[in-house]
């Protein structure tokens, strides 16, 4: 697998409150993106803490195992990792009044063999791009998504809704939190995209599909020159996604993690 990650401050923010991590484990790949919130310093602290605690928890559980964890155990590990991150961020905010109310989104992909385990809290997203199409694997925890779910808004209306930045679930804002966990089989070849809403609020899914695959019809076959230097080509496509978000306004921090499977 090829992979890369890039984070950009955007055009309007004075600091970058996004954090990400990509870690190779024994036979697995773990990618995480967090988008922090809560004042000038709080968002930075929340996202960095969440990424660190979440990643370390999973690494401690999976590193050195002689047997591959089964499906049930993996879901439990991922859920416990989110709880550990949530508890750490929550206690830090409780102990420091300058960080009161801080929190963060969290989206993660654990690729083990041909199986993807996706974890989500908040409105950062994970997409799977394969077979000429793009699919949002995660489900936003946001006010406008709730309105979509009950039929009060269409996805098109939600894209320009004034309250689309309100999330209904985050890491660190409450003493306990529940993550959504999804599984997908990675058949054939394709891409995974993890991103903060600094990308998806400014770049359409059609633009993402075209930019990531490099072809307007969404095909994912690599030309020979990319097969030789896939990591570099992937990074260029990630940079182009960030460029598109900035060209469209760049009103938020933008983080992109791309994986070619």
């Amino acid at each position: 697998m090829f992979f890369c990650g890039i984070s950009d401050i955007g055009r309007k923010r004075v600091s970058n409150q996004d954090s990400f991590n990509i870690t190779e484990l024994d036979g697995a790949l773990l990618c995480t993106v967090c988008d922090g919130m809560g004042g000038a310093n709080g968002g930075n602290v929340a996202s960095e803490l969440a990424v660190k605690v979440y990643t370390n928890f999973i690494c401690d559980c999976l590193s050195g195992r002689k047997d591959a964890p089964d499906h049930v155990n993996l879901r439990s590990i991922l859920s416990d990792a989110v709880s550990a991150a949530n508890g750490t961020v929550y206690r830090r905010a409780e102990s420091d009044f300058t960080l009161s109310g801080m929190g963060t989104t969290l989206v993660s992909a654990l690729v083990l063999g041909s199986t993807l385990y996706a974890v989500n809290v908040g409105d950062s997203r994970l997409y799977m791009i394969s077979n000429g199409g793009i699919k949002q694997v995660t489900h936003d925890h946001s006010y406008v998504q709730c309105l979509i779910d009950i039929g009060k808004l269409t996805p098109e209306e939600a894209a320009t809704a004034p309250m689309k930045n309100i999330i209904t679930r985050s890491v660190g804002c409450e003493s306990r939190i529940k993550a959504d966990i999804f599984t997908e089989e990675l058949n054939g070849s394709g891409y995974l995209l993890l991103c903060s809403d600094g990308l998806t609020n400014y770049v359409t899914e059609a633009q993402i599909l075209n930019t990531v695959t490099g072809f307007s019809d969404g095909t994912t076959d690599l030309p020979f020159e990319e097969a030789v230097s896939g990591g570099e080509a992937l990074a260029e496509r990630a940079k182009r996604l960030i460029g598109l978000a900035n060209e469209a306004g760049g009103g938020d921090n933008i983080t992109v993690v791309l994986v070619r499977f």
Side-chain angles (χ1 to χ4, degrees):
M1 285 187 291
F2 296 120
F3 51 84
C4 69
I6 305 174
S7 190
D8 187 83
I9 194 172
R11 291 187 169 180
K12 302 288 180 67
R13 304 296 191 186
V14 297
S15 64
N16 191 344
Q17 299 192 343
D18 288 358
S19 299
F20 76 91
N21 180 269
I22 304 172
T23 298
E24 289 186 278
L25 301 167
D26 296 334
L29 181 69
L30 176 65
C31 305
T32 308
V33 170
C34 287
D35 178 357
M37 68 203 87
N41 298 317
N44 298 340
V45 174
S47 65
E48 290 173 5
L49 271 178
V51 166
K52 180 179 179 180
V53 173
Y54 176 83
T55 301
N56 288 345
F57 187 99
I58 294 173
C59 289
D60 289 344
C61 289
L62 297 186
S63 296
R65 290 181 64 123
K66 294 182 179 180
D67 60 323
D70 61 29
H71 177 77
V72 175
N73 285 341
L74 256 180
R75 291 178 70 92
S76 178
I77 289 170
L78 295 170
S79 179
D80 289 346
V82 172
S83 294
N86 182 76
T88 300
V89 175
Y90 181 80
R91 289 189 296 271
R92 179 69 179 274
E94 288 281 289
S95 66
D96 186 343
F97 76 93
T98 66
L99 302 176
S100 179
M102 73 175 180
T104 181
T105 69
L106 185 150
V107 65
S108 176
L110 175 65
V111 180
L112 185 61
S114 62
T115 303
L116 163 68
Y117 294 86
V119 181
N120 182 53
V121 178
D123 63 354
S124 295
R125 294 179 178 176
L126 190 157
Y127 289 96
M128 182 165 64
I129 299 167
S130 62
N131 300 318
I134 181 170
K135 173 185 177 180
Q136 182 179 337
V137 176
T138 54
H139 192 74
D140 292 354
H141 300 135
S142 67
Y143 179 68
V144 294
Q145 185 62 56
C146 290
L147 294 179
I148 293 172
D149 292 342
I150 63 175
K152 296 293 185 180
L153 276 182
T154 66
E156 293 73 23
E157 292 169 334
T160 57
M163 296 175 287
K164 65 180 181 179
N165 64 321
I166 299 175
I167 61 175
T168 57
R169 203 184 301 182
S170 62
V171 173
C173 289
E174 299 177 9
S175 59
R176 294 185 180 181
I177 194 67
K178 181 180 183 296
D180 287 344
I181 301 176
F182 310 85
T183 58
E184 296 279 349
E185 288 302 312
L186 304 181
N187 298 314
S189 62
Y191 303 86
L192 300 176
L193 167 66
L194 294 84
C195 60
S196 58
D197 67 347
L199 180 72
T200 53
N201 282 341
Y202 296 92
V203 182
T204 68
E205 289 187 359
Q207 289 176 302
I208 292 172
L209 176 63
N210 184 29
T211 304
V212 171
T213 62
F215 301 98
S216 59
D217 62 357
T219 55
T220 57
D221 290 332
L222 288 172
F224 174 76
E225 60 271 19
E226 185 176 344
V228 175
S229 58
E232 291 83 354
L234 205 61
E236 287 303 314
R237 296 178 185 189
K239 290 176 185 176
R240 180 56 184 153
L241 287 174
I242 288 176
L244 287 172
N246 278 324
E247 289 166 13
D252 201 353
N253 307 143
I254 313 152
T255 299
V256 168
V257 170
L258 267 176
V259 178
R260 166 77 182 183
F261 63 86

